[in-house]
Amino acid sequence: MDILEIIESKKNKRALSKEQINYWIEEYCKGNIKDYQSSALLMAIRLNGMEKREIFNLTEAMMNSGDIIDLSPIDGVKCDKHSTGGVGDKTSLALCPMVAALGIKVAKMSGRGLGFTGGTLDKLESIPGFSILLSPEKFVQSVNSIGMSIIGQSDNLVLADKKLYALRDVTGTVDSIPLIASSIMSKKLAAGCNCILLDVKYGSGAFMRTKADAEELAKVMVEIGCHFKRDVRAEITSMNQPLGLAVGNILEVQEAVNTLLGKGPKDFTELCLSSGATMLLQAKLYDDREKARKDLLETITSGKAYEIFLKFVENQGGDIRYIKDFSLFPKAEYKHEIKADRSGYLTAFDTMGVGLLSMHLGAGRETKEDVIDYDAGIILNKKLGDQVSKGDVLMTLYTDRCNVEDKVSSAKNLVTISDEMILEPKVVEEVISYDDKEKKFIIEEE
Ligand code: URA
């Protein structure tokens, strides 16, 4: 086999065989295929696409390029949840204890934030003492006893994705549905859960700009899941505004905890209830969505989900005094209020701009090496559809940096205020699953 032949095949729009795909991934991981050759092949895939069969084979080859996690020592149904990345997306922090309170086992491996999107691990590490490193034995024991654990992805999980993603990032080949789907699904499959809920986001703060693109990506990933005999469902959610009101690590932990105490923002609470209900249906612990939602709400009102969150944090070394008393958390040195310069209705957010602003304030990383200020970030005072009066505070920025004046002064451009009123947008637009017997997608409109 020869890599040049494989590149020529894809360049000429021919489908690659399983052997060709395996050869590429294996030899690239061993260093026998050069970055410039893989770059050429990635661009040919980006331009000419892949058939389903090729995507399944690529996912499998990538999945087998590193460790495959065995979760069989964990009793019960193991569920995972993955978001394609958003701004203010702290869902795992509140959702996982809620579903764990109803019997789902959450054995989750998460990632760090980069660029405009945040990462669950960074949010958790903003709790003093919290460790995302557990031995495999302690991970299993934690999930069995508490119902949940969230740790960092092992260094050896899907080695091919580590190399390929870095290459795609610098060769203009990130925005390819076959490459995104195989990258995400190889990691989710290798992480070993029976059921996987994908939150595929679209809009001004997401990889996928349109709902149609998000649906196409979601369908490919759901079909990959079905091919590998897992129950994978995908919810399509809008990132046309940040999720909830808080963006930034400590601020988001506090918002997630408030949500577990029944004081969360409406859209974020709704996402947790809807996602949780889908996970409970996937786990076959419920067969009625409404009943599942009702019981999820009860995990909040009874305090059960909050108790699980406290146990989870304590078990991983986190100091729960901070969770019980937010005033202990460090505060950012500077605070800037951004005020509306006209009256009207908030009709659009530049959500990616909000994510980038938060990064510049210190809450995120521009490069992998950057250090995060956990207390930095943004609190929104207004959301889409809200009425605004001239002089109202639209958002408050928190930072420890004194050299971000230009970013602060352009922050008001991140929202559009118009005369026309718009309706509050839906949180979850639809849930996509696949009926393998009938060979068709099922789309539930929320
Ligand atoms: N997230 C991933 O893990 N992979 C991609 O290709 C895009 C987003």
Side-chain angles (χ1 to χ4, degrees):
M1 198 128 352
D2 173 19
I3 186 64
L4 209 53
E5 247 173 52
I6 300 176
I7 297 169
E8 286 289 340
S9 287
K10 196 37 80 183
K11 184 178 85 180
N12 291 309
K13 301 191 169 68
R14 286 196 295 274
L16 303 180
S17 67
K18 186 174 175 110
E19 292 69 34
Q20 286 178 311
I21 289 173
N22 286 344
Y23 174 81
W24 169 39
I25 296 299
E26 280 166 24
E27 296 301 315
Y28 180 55
C29 284
K30 285 186 203 151
N32 297 333
I33 291 174
K34 303 291 172 214
D35 277 351
Y36 51 78
Q37 294 169 312
S38 278
S39 302
L41 183 52
L42 287 168
M43 185 55 83
I45 294 171
R46 162 66 183 81
L47 296 176
N48 294 330
M50 278 184 143
E51 292 175 3
K52 282 286 153 52
R53 183 174 47 87
E54 293 177 277
I55 300 175
F56 296 158
N57 290 334
L58 177 58
T59 306
E60 189 170 7
M62 288 174 67
M63 176 179 81
N64 289 329
S65 69
D67 294 346
I68 307 276
I69 311 293
D70 174 17
L71 296 180
S72 60
I74 297 174
D75 318 314
V77 189
K78 279 90 54 176
C79 290
D80 197 355
K81 186 246 149 208
H82 177 83
S83 154
T84 55
V87 178
D89 189 354
K90 73 283 296 170
T91 311
S92 296
L93 303 189
L95 171 64
C96 298
M98 286 166 68
V99 295
L102 294 175
I104 282 184
K105 294 293 169 59
V106 185
K108 189 162 169 49
M109 291 188 183
S110 286
R112 297 194 179 279
L114 189 63
F116 70 95
T117 61
T120 302
L121 295 186
D122 300 319
K123 294 170 208 203
L124 287 170
E125 283 181 336
S126 73
I127 305 167
F130 192 96
S131 172
I132 52 111
L133 300 171
L134 292 189
S135 67
E137 296 73 29
K138 173 107 197 253
F139 181 54
V140 165
Q141 183 230 315
S142 306
V143 181
N144 271 332
S145 60
I146 298 168
M148 68 173 288
S149 178
I150 304 178
I151 58 169
Q153 208 169 279
S154 97
D155 281 348
N156 269 339
L157 198 85
V158 188
L159 285 178
D161 188 60
K162 294 211 166 57
K163 292 189 76 175
L164 283 176
Y165 196 82
L167 202 55
R168 287 167 57 206
D169 212 20
V170 292
T171 56
T173 50
V174 169
D175 61 341
S176 151
I177 285 181
L179 296 177
I180 297 176
S182 53
S183 159
I184 293 176
M185 288 307 295
S186 57
K187 287 176 287 198
K188 291 291 113 184
L189 294 169
C193 283
N194 318 85
C195 304
I196 303 159
L197 174 64
L198 302 167
D199 177 355
V200 183
K201 298 195 175 291
Y202 77 92
S204 64
F207 276 115
M208 298 289 127
R209 284 312 177 102
T210 66
K211 187 173 167 189
D213 282 346
E215 280 172 332
E216 192 184 335
L217 174 63
K219 284 180 174 173
V220 174
M221 293 196 288
V222 166
E223 259 193 292
I224 294 174
C226 186
H227 181 79
F228 291 98
K229 309 280 178 255
R230 311 285 170 95
D231 185 326
V232 177
R233 302 186 195 185
E235 54 195 5
I236 305 292
T237 64
S238 163
M239 249 298 127
N240 280 325
Q241 63 178 338
L243 184 58
L245 300 170
V247 182
N249 300 284
I250 288 176
L251 300 175
E252 290 189 50
V253 167
Q254 294 177 353
E255 186 166 89
V257 172
N258 276 334
T259 302
L260 292 174
L261 293 170
K263 299 180 289 186
K266 201 168 139 204
D267 63 337
F268 179 59
T269 305
E270 170 55 30
L271 181 61
C272 293
L273 293 174
S274 177
S275 302
T278 303
M279 289 171 82
L280 290 164
L281 295 174
Q282 286 181 273
K284 299 199 168 40
L285 293 171
Y286 282 76
D287 56 13
D288 175 354
R289 177 174 283 279
E290 279 317 304
K291 170 83 174 109
R293 276 183 72 101
K294 200 170 145 278
D295 287 1
L296 283 161
L297 199 55
E298 210 260 334
T299 69
I300 295 178
T301 49
S302 64
K304 275 188 212 142
Y306 176 71
E307 284 303 318
I308 290 184
F309 186 76
L310 288 179
K311 280 190 194 151
F312 152 67
V313 169
E314 195 166 36
N315 180 58
Q316 296 195 210
D319 187 340
I320 57 171
R321 285 175 303 169
Y322 288 77
I323 305 301
K324 292 180 173 175
D325 177 4
F326 294 164
S327 72
L328 297 175
F329 276 113
K331 306 273 174 310
E333 203 163 331
Y334 306 101
K335 176 175 155 181
H336 304 274
E337 288 186 336
I338 308 300
K339 294 187 176 161
D341 48 17
R342 59 159 292 184
S343 297
Y345 295 93
L346 206 161
T347 53
F349 266 101
D350 171 357
T351 311
M352 188 179 290
V354 174
L356 289 172
L357 173 61
S358 172
M359 180 191 85
H360 289 302
L361 295 173
R365 299 183 184 83
E366 208 158 350
T367 68
K368 277 191 197 146
E369 292 69 36
D370 286 351
V371 175
I372 286 181
D373 297 326
Y374 289 127
D375 49 19
I378 303 172
I379 295 286
L380 302 178
N381 286 61
K382 299 284 176 185
K383 297 271 288 186
L384 287 181
D386 283 355
Q387 192 165 14
V388 176
S389 299
K390 186 173 173 180
D392 278 355
V393 176
L394 296 169
M395 57 182 103
T396 307
L397 316 185
Y398 296 91
T399 185
D400 298 310
R401 298 182 178 176
C402 55
N403 58 349
V404 287
E405 279 309 319
D406 56 328
K407 311 284 181 211
V408 172
S409 56
S410 56
K412 60 163 68 80
N413 302 332
L414 297 172
V415 297
T416 306
I417 300 172
S418 315
D419 293 331
E420 304 252 308
M421 194 176 144
I422 60 158
L423 290 177
E424 209 181 297
K426 264 188 177 176
V427 179
V428 176
E429 305 213 357
E430 55 195 40
V431 181
I432 301 177
S433 53
Y434 190 74
D435 184 333
D436 199 26
K437 280 198 199 107
E438 301 281 331
K439 301 281 175 239
K440 65 172 196 213
F441 288 100
I442 299 165
I443 300 185
E444 286 171 77
E445 303 267 341
E446 286 283 294

